[in-house]
Amino acid sequence: MCIRDRVYAVAKGLIAAGVEQGDRVVLLSSTRYEWSLLDFAIWAAGAASVPIYPSSSLSQIQWIVEDSGAVLAITESREHSELVAHLKLQDDGKPALKNSPSQLRRIVEINSSAIDTLMFEGRELSNDVVDARIAATKTDDLASLVYTSGTTGRPKGVALSAEALQASAAATEDALSGPGRWFLCLAPDHIAGAQVILRSLRSGTVPFDGRGHFTAERFADQAEEFFGAGQSEPAYASLVPTQLTRILRDPRATGQAARFDALL
């Protein structure tokens, strides 16, 4: 099954699960293939994704779930599911946490077959249902609600439209040497990582998965693998300052970084 078919199959599952046009869906997971699949499926279902960084505190997770009004949470592991379980609506329509304004109706877990479960639940729906959701989505509709880190107080939700995300990816491509292949070493639940995936989608390439705990040695090893696979397109990577600092302190990592056409 190609990626488009999988996106449609998962989107149908989301629709069958009661996700409506404009609803918010939480994504609480580390960087992995399923994260991108689910993000695209959420958009295809006409909903908006609400990424939550896995290391967020319990109070930050609670605030984001409540403030966003998310109706569904997709978590990675049992530990992540337990962090939002008290916010799920019970049989009486109220969350277990007293006085919480949470609207969370359901939690599905990636490590417990969330993808297969959603695809099974949506199997009776036709692709026309997803096409209708896509057609009903306007370019200025909310695509993703990304929250700040919360270092100076409660995390603040930044509303990003599909138009804004597309414009950013196009502007980056114009500023560089055109489309190319991206090295992904940033979490997609942060906007910088999500942009790497969108730039790859725009250029018709698959980003190299450089996930895992970032070290200069690991970057050098993965960059060597990245270029060893036969890199014909321009090569790009997006880094945060702390990552770049670690790279520049390591001669081998610095040498591998110099092989990229551009580092953002």
Side-chain angles (χ1 to χ4, degrees), residues 9 14 23 27 42 53 56 81 83 106-107 109 112 130 135 143-144 153 186 204 209 241-242 245:
L14 293 171
D23 277 349
L27 264 178
I42 290 167
Y53 199 61
S56 298
S81 297
L83 294 175
R106 187 179 178 187
I107 303 167
E109 190 178 302
S112 295
V130 179
S144 192
L186 297 171
D209 187 359
T242 54
T245 299

Side-chain angles (χ1 to χ4, degrees), residues 46-61:
S49 58
V50 183
I52 300 181
Y53 199 61
S55 62
S56 298
S57 67
L58 180 63
S59 61
Q60 288 175 329
I61 292 172

Side-chain angles (χ1 to χ4, degrees), residues 3-264:
I3 182 64
R4 178 187 180 279
D5 291 341
R6 290 181 67 83
V7 167
Y8 265 63
V10 175
K12 288 189 290 185
L14 293 171
I15 295 170
V19 173
E20 300 289 346
Q21 190 93 26
D23 277 349
R24 285 83 185 273
V25 178
V26 157
L27 264 178
L28 175 55
S29 169
S30 60
T31 307
R32 55 191 291 175
Y33 160 74
E34 292 88 350
W35 199 102
S36 297
L37 171 63
L38 288 161
D39 201 24
F40 294 148
I42 290 167
W43 292 341
S49 58
V50 183
I52 300 181
Y53 199 61
S55 62
S56 298
S57 67
L58 180 63
S59 61
Q60 288 175 329
I61 292 172
Q62 177 183 332
W63 167 252
I64 293 172
V65 171
E66 292 176 342
D67 185 64
S68 67
V71 300
L72 175 69
I74 304 173
T75 64
E76 179 175 25
S77 64
R78 180 177 180 179
E79 290 75 18
H80 293 151
S81 297
E82 290 172 350
L83 294 175
V84 295
H86 62 300
L87 301 173
K88 181 176 174 290
L89 300 182
Q90 308 299 299
D91 292 339
D92 61 0
K94 299 178 181 179
L97 182 64
K98 187 177 180 180
N99 297 325
S100 170
S102 173
Q103 300 177 46
L104 192 65
R105 299 195 298 262
R106 187 179 178 187
I107 303 167
V108 292
E109 190 178 302
I110 295 173
N111 289 350
S112 295
S113 304
I115 301 295
D116 290 339
T117 297
L118 290 170
M119 291 174 66
F120 178 80
E121 293 180 359
R123 69 193 185 284
E124 298 298 332
L125 299 180
S126 73
N127 286 351
D128 292 343
V129 176
V130 179
D131 288 334
R133 289 288 181 94
I134 294 173
T137 302
K138 302 179 180 66
T139 56
D140 59 351
D141 283 348
L142 179 66
S144 192
L145 188 59
V146 181
Y147 281 77
T148 59
S149 60
T151 52
T152 59
R154 281 179 167 174
K156 298 176 179 62
V158 179
L160 299 172
S161 67
E163 185 176 34
L165 293 173
Q166 290 173 354
S168 177
T172 302
E173 188 175 285
D174 290 343
L176 299 176
S177 303
R181 190 174 180 217
W182 286 83
F183 183 100
L184 175 64
C185 52
L186 297 171
D189 42 15
H190 282 187
I191 188 57
Q195 277 293 299
V196 169
I197 295 173
L198 290 171
R199 293 167 194 151
S200 299
L201 184 66
R202 179 178 174 84
S203 65
T205 61
V206 178
F208 179 88
D209 187 359
R211 63 178 175 168
H213 178 65
F214 186 90
T215 64
E217 181 180 6
R218 184 182 180 89
F219 171 81
D221 290 341
Q222 291 182 327
E224 191 170 330
E225 181 183 349
F226 176 76
F227 287 105
Q231 181 67 26
S232 57
E233 310 95 339
Y236 306 128
S238 187
L239 304 166
V240 295
T242 54
Q243 291 174 321
L244 184 58
T245 299
R246 292 174 188 173
I247 289 171
L248 294 177
R249 287 174 178 168
D250 184 284
R252 179 166 167 259
T254 300
Q256 290 295 335
R259 300 176 69 182
F260 286 88
D261 292 272
L263 295 174
L264 300 185

